Amino acid sequence: MSGVNVYTFELPTTGSLSFVDYFSNGSDVYTSQISDATQARANLRAVLKESKHTDGDKDYLRLVKTLEEYLPHLYAVINCVASGDLVQTQSPVFSWRTTLSAHLFNNSPRLSLPALPSELVFTLLTYGFALFNLARLNVVALGTYERERGISDVERKAKDEKLGFAVTLLCRASGIFEHVSTTVLSDAEQTPGWNTGRTRPPELSKEVSLALSKLALASAQSLAIRKLMTKSSYDSIVTPGPPLPASHPSPALLAKLHLEAAALCASAESLMRIPASRKNDMEVTESLLLYAHDSAALHGALARKWLGAEKGAQDAPGMAVGFLGWAKREMDALRDGKARGGGKEEGRDERRERRGHIAAEAEDVAQFLRYYTRMNDTVSFQPVPSQAELQTSVPAGRLAVAVKAFVPPTPAFGPGSVEFIRKHADSLDLADSESSPDGLRSMTSSAARPSYAGAGSYF
């Protein structure tokens, strides 16, 4: 079965800020570059504000590109401050709305956050949210193509590639969230006075960022499972339920993939509940917690479904009935829960589609259960194990995707930038040439710079 099990994040907005007001350099070397950084940030603010007031489909691709244009400038400012090339004349205060926090009246609170690390965290998280939402938009546009009767193999494979692109976007988002948790926030804690004595939003929690990484990876895993099944989904249109078509992936493999996705979602929920136990931390929004909880339940139920199908194919209908009955109970509980936790930005059509997906999955499980119950009651007469007994037969999960590690962009200026490295290399070349005797300079130059393919290789 297909379905869009990808969360829709509410995007934050940010207040205006001019880097010129807070940073300077005595030699005026970076005056124009600081102005460029301010402009890049203003562009980001404008796009976020426009997205906030746009109904319907939002231009997440444009937002991703705007973020990718701003980040090199932000990293440049951070590097220049660290190297002393820029002097902080006064402490900057960045204004961002927290969209991950639980709040009254459905209004995202605006926070005043000190220091550059806060700006980097919120910018990177927004980047991850944008990639997440862009992936979801791409999946929604595909529809349920694998179940269209008239689709050709060429069309299906083309759409499979687009589904694979959404998987890649989510793996990138997972890497960004992981980088924020393990690197950016760890470094921020070493900044004197950073966030001391302030109420901390979920965005500034290591546990929440790590949870977001796990959720993104689980969503990528979910889409990878769907991609694995597109051919068999098409073949199952005419004859749904068991026996499975020859094109169907191994039920044992599908069970392990769903088990891993369930574990990722359950771990994410546990991590996101940690801030609520701390005195000065804001709680995570309930919609995101419910999404993680329900996603873990859905993948767990689907894992039990495929374990049942596997046992049925192995002539163990008693165990098949046990696993499928377990899966049905979990599916019924999900269906009765009205498919909660879709995110504030999710529209009515998306919620209806998710409810329909869960209802279809529940019916599919019921069909498998009826088939193997009838087989066991009329042919095999095997005992049906209890849920506790079945638990001992549940295997470990398996990942089909991987986190795509985030690599910070090359700074737009200052240490680490292309221009900085070039000037440094030129100065080294100049120093080498000035230290060499005139008679050896041309020989050294020609020996150090081969002028043809294979130069310096003699046989």
Side-chain angles (χ1 to χ4, degrees), residues 3-20:
V4 185
N5 189 30
V6 182
Y7 190 80
T8 307
F9 283 94
E10 177 189 358
L11 297 174
T13 54
T14 184
S16 61
L17 180 135
S18 174
F19 286 107
V20 177

Side-chain angles (χ1 to χ4, degrees), residues 222-306:
S222 179
L223 295 184
I225 295 171
R226 177 181 171 183
K227 185 172 181 287
L228 182 65
M229 294 184 65
T230 54
K231 181 65 169 68
S232 61
S233 294
Y234 176 79
D235 292 341
S236 298
I237 296 174
V238 179
T239 56
L244 300 172
S247 60
H248 203 281
S250 160
L253 172 61
L254 293 174
K256 291 177 181 179
L257 296 178
H258 280 293
L259 284 168
E260 187 64 24
L264 286 168
C265 293
S267 177
E269 183 191 0
S270 297
L271 287 167
M272 288 190 294
R273 292 194 181 277
I274 291 176
S277 65
R278 293 184 180 136
K279 182 178 180 180
N280 291 325
D281 281 12
M282 301 171 72
E283 296 181 17
V284 173
T285 179
E286 188 70 9
S287 66
L288 189 55
L289 292 170
L290 289 173
Y291 169 78
H293 178 84
D294 287 357
S295 294
L298 175 61
H299 284 293
L302 290 173
R304 255 71 81 180
K305 166 191 170 181
W306 293 120

Side-chain angles (χ1 to χ4, degrees), residues 386-410:
S386 67
Q387 187 169 311
E389 292 173 313
L390 291 170
Q391 185 64 56
T392 62
S393 301
V394 176
R398 176 178 170 182
L399 268 176
V401 294
V403 175
K404 186 172 178 58
F406 173 73
V407 179
T410 301

Side-chain angles (χ1 to χ4, degrees), residues 99-180:
T99 55
L100 295 181
S101 64
H103 41 266
L104 298 174
F105 310 119
N106 210 29
N107 181 37
S108 304
R110 183 180 290 277
L111 305 175
S112 295
L113 304 164
L116 285 166
S118 298
E119 173 75 355
L120 182 57
V121 169
F122 269 82
T123 302
L124 287 174
L125 289 181
T126 303
Y127 188 18
F129 298 158
L131 289 173
F132 217 109
N133 290 1
L134 180 60
R136 190 186 196 286
L137 196 64
N138 276 269
V139 174
V140 170
L142 290 173
T144 55
Y145 69 94
E146 63 268 49
R147 302 190 69 80
E148 294 173 3
R149 292 181 181 274
I151 193 170
S152 67
D153 283 346
V154 174
E155 291 172 320
R156 179 178 52 79
K157 289 177 181 178
K159 293 197 173 185
D160 281 352
E161 289 183 6
K162 293 180 179 179
L163 191 60
F165 175 64
V167 171
T168 301
L169 291 175
L170 290 166
C171 291
R172 286 178 59 194
S174 181
I176 292 169
F177 295 139
E178 183 180 70
H179 179 74
V180 170

